[in-house]
């Protein structure tokens, strides 16, 4: 039996608490914080765990304050926010589609953001702010297109995945077309951006991403119970009093914005949205989207991947997207084999 407790507040509000899920979220948060401190201490100017902690608490030297506050902390915060955003987007779309492969980087939303960014780079030679805006716009347009094409008296999960895969294939062709049309400088810049990287991230990327997460996360967590009801199908959700289409539109819009702003901040980082929700579900052993566990898992995964990309290959630093693609590709193969053995594909 699962240890689920009901907590009542003095105001009469009752909250159900899954003890295992709460423990998993806590342990993952502690692990992510530890990796973040280690990552801040890594680099050409190494710092010990204690020095980083002291500096974060305001007790470091002037040089340490500069290294931590101005150089390394923004990159780590971007990694945390991007990882959480990707994971929440993946959890939303996997739940809405009722399919572990219903990830935004499989059903076209990541590709849409990439097309938007590459359009700005290749056709307009835009700066970083314009590229970020193009990524968000591309993701939103793709989200509207997929929803419209998948609509037929509602949006069914299987149809959403099929339409998304088709849209992703077309957008991938557009990506290749844009690169072939670019001059050498823009093509190099576009290729580097497409790998997904946290290099050079500063407070200019942190604040817009943090602001968007501050708006979207409460909306998504407030819809956690309706999202869980939607996993049982539209008819069951209607019977339980869920306004199905309104809830689906709010959640899909939030999921598209999450993947769009994450892509705008760090480029198209692959497979975090696919793997983080599934790993969180396996750890919590709980049905439903497991939104909190997925968010913390996504942050932890991206921090570990960034540390690996920065330190595991000697003096050669790799973009974090290369590491997540290698690890995520192996995970995808394992997931496909598992789903096939279970008879679900």
């Amino acid at each position: 039996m699962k240890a689920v407790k009901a907590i009542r507040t003095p105001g009469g509000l009752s909250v159900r608490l899954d003890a295992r899920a709460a423990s998993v979220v806590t342990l993952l948060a502690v692990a992510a914080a530890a990796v973040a401190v280690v990552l801040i201490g890594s680099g050409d100017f190494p710092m010990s765990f204690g020095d980083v902690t002291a500096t974060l608490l305001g007790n470091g030297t002037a040089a340490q304050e500069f290294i931590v506050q101005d150089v390394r902390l923004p990159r780590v915060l971007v990694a945390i926010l991007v990882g959480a955003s990707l994971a929440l987007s993946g959890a939303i779309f996997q739940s809405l589609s009722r399919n572990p492969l219903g990830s935004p980087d499989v059903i076209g939303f990541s590709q849409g953001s990439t097309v938007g960014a590459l359009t700005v780079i290749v056709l307009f030679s835009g700066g970083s702010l314009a590229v970020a805006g193009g990524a968000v716009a591309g993701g939103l347009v793709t989200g509207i297109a997929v929803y419209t094409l998948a609509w037929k008296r509602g949006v069914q999960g299987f149809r959403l995945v099929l339409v998304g895969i088709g849209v992703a294939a077309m957008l991938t062709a557009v990506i290749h077309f844009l690169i072939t049309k670019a001059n050498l400088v823009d093509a190099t810049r576009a290729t580097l951006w497409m790998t997904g990287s946290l290099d050079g991230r500063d407070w200019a990327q942190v604040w817009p991403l943090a602001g968007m997460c501050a708006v979207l996360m409460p909306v998504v967590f407030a819809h956690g119970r309706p999202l869980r009801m939607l996993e049982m199908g539209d008819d069951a959700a209607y019977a339980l009093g869920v306004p199905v289409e309104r809830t689906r539109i709010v959640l899909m819009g939030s999921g598209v914005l999450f993947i769009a702003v994450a892509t705008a901040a760090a480029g198209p980082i692959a497979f975090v949205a696919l793997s983080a929700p599934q790993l969180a579900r396996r750890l919590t052993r709980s049905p439903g989207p497991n939104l909190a566990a997925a968010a913390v898992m996504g942050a932890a995964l991206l921090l570990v991947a960034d540390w690996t990309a920065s330190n595991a290959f000697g003096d050669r630093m790799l973009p974090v997207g290369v590491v997540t693609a290698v690890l995520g590709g192996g995970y995808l193969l394992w997931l496909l084999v598992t789903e096939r053995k279970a008879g679900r594909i």
Side-chain angles (χ1 to χ4, degrees):
M1 294 289 292
K2 291 177 66 62
V4 179
K5 298 180 181 180
I7 300 176
R8 293 187 178 276
T9 65
L13 177 65
S14 178
V15 179
R16 297 182 67 209
L17 177 65
D18 186 327
R20 181 183 177 88
S23 299
V24 168
V25 170
T26 301
L27 291 174
L28 286 174
V30 171
V35 175
V37 173
V38 171
L39 188 57
I40 291 174
S42 303
D44 295 333
F45 185 84
M47 298 173 61
S48 68
F49 195 96
D51 287 340
V52 173
T53 304
T55 303
L56 289 173
L57 295 176
N59 299 318
T61 66
Q64 290 172 338
E65 291 280 352
F66 172 76
I67 292 294
V68 171
Q69 300 290 343
D70 296 337
V71 178
R72 296 177 183 170
L73 181 59
R75 173 178 178 146
V76 168
L77 291 177
V78 169
I80 292 171
L81 293 171
V82 167
S85 297
L86 292 172
L88 284 172
S89 182
I92 289 170
F93 285 109
Q94 287 174 8
S95 293
L96 289 177
S97 64
R98 301 192 292 277
N99 190 323
L101 297 177
S103 172
D105 45 8
V106 175
I107 59 177
F109 300 118
S110 294
Q111 290 84 347
S113 294
T114 302
V115 168
L118 292 188
T119 299
V120 174
I121 293 173
V122 173
L123 300 184
F124 303 104
S125 299
S128 58
L129 183 61
V131 171
V136 173
L140 290 174
V141 170
T142 303
I144 293 171
V146 170
Y147 184 86
T148 302
L149 293 171
W151 171 268
K152 185 180 180 182
R153 296 189 297 274
V155 178
Q156 300 300 318
F158 186 68
R159 189 161 58 243
L160 176 66
V161 172
L162 286 180
V163 170
I165 290 174
V167 170
M170 291 187 291
L171 291 174
T172 300
V174 175
I175 291 170
H176 294 317
F177 172 77
L178 287 171
I179 291 178
T180 60
K181 295 292 290 183
N183 59 46
L184 182 60
V185 173
D186 287 339
T188 302
R189 181 185 173 198
T191 303
L192 180 62
W193 184 88
M194 285 174 57
T195 59
S197 176
L198 296 170
D199 290 343
R201 297 305 181 264
D202 56 26
W203 293 106
Q205 283 81 37
V206 172
W207 295 122
L209 186 57
M212 187 64 72
C213 287
V215 173
L216 292 177
M217 284 185 179
V219 173
V220 171
F221 284 119
H223 285 79
R225 183 178 179 276
L227 180 58
R228 185 172 179 175
M229 299 299 104
L230 284 173
E231 286 190 344
M232 298 187 295
D234 288 4
D235 292 339
Y238 272 124
L240 292 169
V242 176
V244 171
E245 285 308 318
R246 186 180 70 188
T247 300
R248 184 181 285 119
I249 289 173
V250 169
L251 288 169
M252 284 190 66
S254 299
V256 169
L257 283 172
F258 269 131
I259 195 70
V261 297
T263 303
I269 296 176
F271 290 111
V272 174
L274 174 70
S275 58
Q278 292 300 311
L279 292 174
R281 180 173 293 196
R282 282 166 171 76
L283 287 177
T284 60
R285 298 178 186 174
S286 176
N290 292 285
L291 295 172
V296 182
M297 175 63 79
L301 283 178
L302 197 54
L303 286 169
V304 171
D306 192 35
W307 182 90
T308 303
S310 301
N311 297 279
F313 301 95
D315 295 334
R316 186 176 181 83
M317 295 179 60
L318 296 178
V320 67
V322 174
V323 176
T324 61
V326 171
L327 298 178
Y331 174 80
L332 178 59
L333 291 176
W334 175 83
L335 181 61
L336 290 171
V337 171
T338 301
E339 292 294 301
R340 183 178 179 183
K341 286 183 178 179
R344 288 188 285 265
I345 60 175

